[in-house]
């Protein structure tokens, strides 16, 4: 065994942890107990490998140790004869080699079970698949650690009560699309919260955005010909590519049309654009592919004046035949205003009022369009309405600043 360099063991364990947990859950079930057993195996490796070297088959070593810890725990817990017999039946066979398959996707499918509420899916996925601690998830979402812990605990309890944590295999082909859609929704929600935080002092939480991209890359590695997966990864890369230009020196928000595009990540844009082209060949385009195509048109434009707004509007029209997502409808209004003028945008915006009862986004768009028509007082009032509705401090400051500039 080779003794690893400093920090190498931690990286290795982080990479293998979801695969090991997925393998143990797939084989034995008992998600909660399996997770505990895997944590014990990881702790054992963290203490032993830096001293003795990394085994030739680290994943197999971790699976073997975790399996033994799990069955030991089951024996201790199952005192009655019937449960003892079951525990003996579960006694692990020697694992001389890691399973040929990677169980990361299996674990993602389990954590993103549609029976769980979205908040539970997100927390459980970041904990089990992303390897984040409860404290890290709480910090990322600006929540009390106890709240996150409760969400994870309830999600695990729900899986137990529905029998979903029995030895788990990926869904049958006829059921896989629905479960994959849940996986992608969770990854998109994590990314969206990272790219534009819904509350707190920071506009961008890079750790969450990066983790969502990392996990989506992993799903694409396992499902390389799924257009929705490719499209989602493209969308994330093309969107995150602008992150360096979205805030000024003091953390203030910089809107898309005023960003310094030389700060955009051209490597990420090139990769994202190539993925869009690939995704559009992988079957009929779905919402993620279409949103990625829209993002590519924004990223490829040299400036706001050269953006292909007619093409963006056409893509939004197609997108809205696939989804009734309110944000897609709002995006179409913005594109319509850029093509046909702010008055057309304002007329279309009025129909969306019921879709945004408490959100700051609709009044913010209204304010921008009113400003373009020259209605300064009405625009200022709309900016202030939007500022009162947002919990994001950078967005609130930006909206208040826009309102102040329009005051007489």
């Amino acid at each position: 065994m080779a003794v690893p360099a400093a920090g190498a063991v931690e990286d290795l364990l982080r990479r293998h942890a979801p695969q090991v947990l997925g393998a143990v859950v797939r084989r034995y079930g008992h998600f909660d107990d399996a997770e505990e057993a895997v944590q014990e195996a990881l702790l054992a490796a963290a203490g032993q490998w830096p001293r003795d070297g990394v085994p030739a088959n680290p994943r197999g070593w971790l699976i073997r140790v975790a399996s033994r810890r799990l069955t030991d725990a089951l024996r201790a817990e199952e005192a009655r004869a019937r449960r003892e017999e079951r525990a003996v039946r579960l006694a692990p066979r020697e694992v001389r080699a890691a399973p040929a398959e990677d169980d990361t996707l299996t674990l993602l499918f389990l954590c993103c079970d549609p029976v769980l509420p979205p908040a539970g899916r997100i927390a459980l996925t970041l904990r089990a698949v992303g390897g984040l601690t409860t404290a890290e998830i709480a910090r990322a979402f600006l929540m009390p650690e106890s709240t996150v812990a409760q969400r994870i605990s309830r999600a695990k309890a729900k899986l137990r009560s529905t029998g979903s944590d029995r030895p788990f295999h990926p869904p049958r082909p006829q059921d896989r699309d629905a479960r994959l859609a849940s996986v992608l929704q969770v990854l998109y929600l994590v990314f969206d919260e990272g790219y534009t935080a819904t509350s707190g002092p920071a506009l961008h939480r890079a750790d969450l955005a990066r983790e969502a991209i990392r996990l989506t890359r992993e799903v694409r590695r396992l499902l390389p010909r799924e257009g929705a997966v490719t499209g989602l990864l493209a969308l994330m890369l093309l969107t995150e590519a602008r992150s360096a230009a979205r805030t000024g020196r003091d953390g203030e928000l910089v809107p898309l049309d005023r960003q310094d595009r030389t700060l955009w990540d051209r490597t990420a844009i090139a990769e994202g654009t190539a993925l869009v082209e690939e995704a559009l060949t992988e079957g009929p385009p779905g919402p993620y592919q279409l949103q990625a195509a829209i993002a590519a048109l924004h990223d490829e434009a040299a400036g706001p004046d050269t953006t292909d707004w007619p093409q963006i509007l056409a893509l939004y029209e197609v997108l809205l035949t696939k989804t009734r997502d309110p944000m897609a409808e709002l995006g179409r209004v913005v594109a319509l205003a850029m093509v046909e003028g702010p008055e057309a945008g304002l007329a279309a915006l009025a129909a969306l009022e019921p879709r945004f009862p408490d959100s700051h986004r609709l009044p913010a768009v209204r304010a921008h369009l009113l400003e373009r028509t020259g209605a300064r007082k009405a625009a200022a009032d709309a900016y202030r309405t939007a500022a009162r509705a947002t919990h994001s401090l950078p967005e609130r400051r930006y909206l208040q600043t826009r309102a102040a500039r329009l005051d007489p």
Side-chain angles (χ1 to χ4, degrees):
M1 296 184 184
V3 177
V9 166
E10 185 178 343
D11 292 341
L12 188 63
L13 293 177
R14 180 182 177 86
R15 187 167 71 250
H16 283 304
Q19 299 174 19
V20 173
L21 179 56
V24 175
V25 170
R26 179 168 57 82
R27 186 174 180 187
Y28 302 109
H30 301 279
F31 183 94
D32 215 352
D33 294 326
E35 186 183 32
E36 216 170 288
V38 170
Q39 289 301 316
E40 290 182 17
L42 294 172
L43 287 172
Q48 183 175 328
W49 292 1
R51 182 186 66 246
D52 300 338
V54 176
N57 182 0
R59 183 156 63 108
W61 189 97
L62 289 166
I63 291 171
R64 182 172 64 252
V65 172
S67 297
R68 286 175 174 167
R69 299 289 171 92
L70 175 59
T71 51
D72 285 348
L74 289 173
R75 288 194 191 98
E77 182 183 316
E78 299 172 354
R80 290 179 301 175
R82 180 180 61 81
R83 301 186 75 182
E84 273 286 353
E85 184 180 344
R86 179 169 175 252
V88 170
R89 194 168 63 250
L90 289 173
R93 298 179 293 275
E94 279 297 309
V95 182
R96 300 190 180 279
E101 66 271 30
D102 183 339
D103 287 291
T104 302
L105 189 62
T106 298
L107 190 58
L108 264 171
F109 276 133
L110 175 60
C111 292
C112 295
D113 192 318
V115 302
L116 301 178
R121 290 182 231 163
I122 289 172
L124 194 60
T125 298
L126 290 176
R127 178 74 181 85
V129 187
L132 276 66
T133 65
T134 304
E136 287 171 332
I137 299 169
R139 285 197 298 272
F141 284 93
L142 300 182
M143 289 180 179
E145 189 172 342
S146 59
T147 300
V148 175
Q150 286 176 354
R151 287 182 177 180
I152 294 172
S153 179
R154 287 170 184 161
K156 291 177 181 177
K158 184 70 172 178
L159 292 177
R160 279 197 303 273
S161 69
T162 59
S164 297
D165 74 337
R166 290 196 291 266
F168 182 83
H169 296 273
R172 296 170 299 174
Q174 59 267 37
D175 301 325
R176 197 189 71 171
D177 286 351
R179 189 64 69 93
L180 179 59
S182 178
V183 169
L184 298 183
Q185 180 194 38
V186 165
L187 295 176
Y188 181 73
L189 289 172
V190 173
F191 175 80
D192 200 41
E193 180 63 26
Y195 187 71
T196 303
T198 54
S199 61
L203 180 70
H204 182 240
R205 294 179 194 157
D207 54 345
L208 274 182
R210 283 196 299 264
E211 183 62 16
I213 291 172
R214 184 186 75 81
L215 291 175
T216 306
R217 284 192 188 279
E218 188 68 13
V219 175
R220 183 171 181 269
R221 181 180 69 81
L222 298 166
L223 298 173
R225 298 299 299 171
E226 286 284 347
V229 178
T230 305
L232 179 57
L233 179 57
L235 174 60
M236 290 179 177
L237 290 170
L238 291 164
T239 305
E240 181 67 8
R242 309 176 204 138
S243 60
R246 293 178 69 226
T247 52
R249 291 181 180 177
D250 299 321
E252 70 275 16
L253 184 151
V254 180
L256 182 63
D257 60 348
R258 299 187 180 189
Q259 289 177 13
D260 179 357
R261 300 189 180 211
T262 64
L263 298 177
W264 289 2
D265 185 342
R266 292 294 158 186
T267 301
I269 290 172
E271 182 184 1
T273 302
L275 287 171
V276 171
E277 294 172 358
E278 181 179 332
L280 293 175
T281 68
E282 295 172 345
Y288 295 123
Q289 296 96 308
L290 292 166
Q291 289 179 80
I294 291 168
L297 288 171
H298 281 297
D299 287 9
E300 291 172 339
D305 295 337
T306 60
T307 301
D308 190 348
W309 285 106
Q311 182 64 21
I312 289 174
L313 178 58
L315 286 169
Y316 270 118
E317 299 286 2
V318 178
L319 176 60
L320 289 173
T321 67
K322 310 282 185 180
T323 177
R324 300 311 299 176
D325 177 18
M327 291 305 299
E329 297 191 55
L330 198 59
R332 177 194 169 273
V333 167
V334 173
L336 178 67
M338 296 303 296
V339 174
E340 298 184 11
E343 293 82 2
L346 287 166
L349 198 63
L352 296 185
E353 288 277 3
R355 305 276 281 157
F356 293 85
D358 303 310
S359 173
H360 69 286
R361 299 195 182 280
L362 187 140
V365 171
R366 176 184 289 116
H368 174 67
L369 297 181
L370 286 168
E371 184 178 359
R372 286 182 56 198
T373 68
R376 295 173 62 89
K377 183 181 184 308
D381 290 343
Y383 277 127
R384 290 193 178 93
T385 298
R388 288 192 295 270
T390 183
H391 298 286
S392 165
L393 295 182
E395 288 185 329
R396 183 179 301 159
R397 285 195 295 265
Y398 167 76
L399 294 165
Q400 289 170 338
T401 299
R402 297 294 296 180
R405 287 177 179 171
L406 294 172
D407 286 334

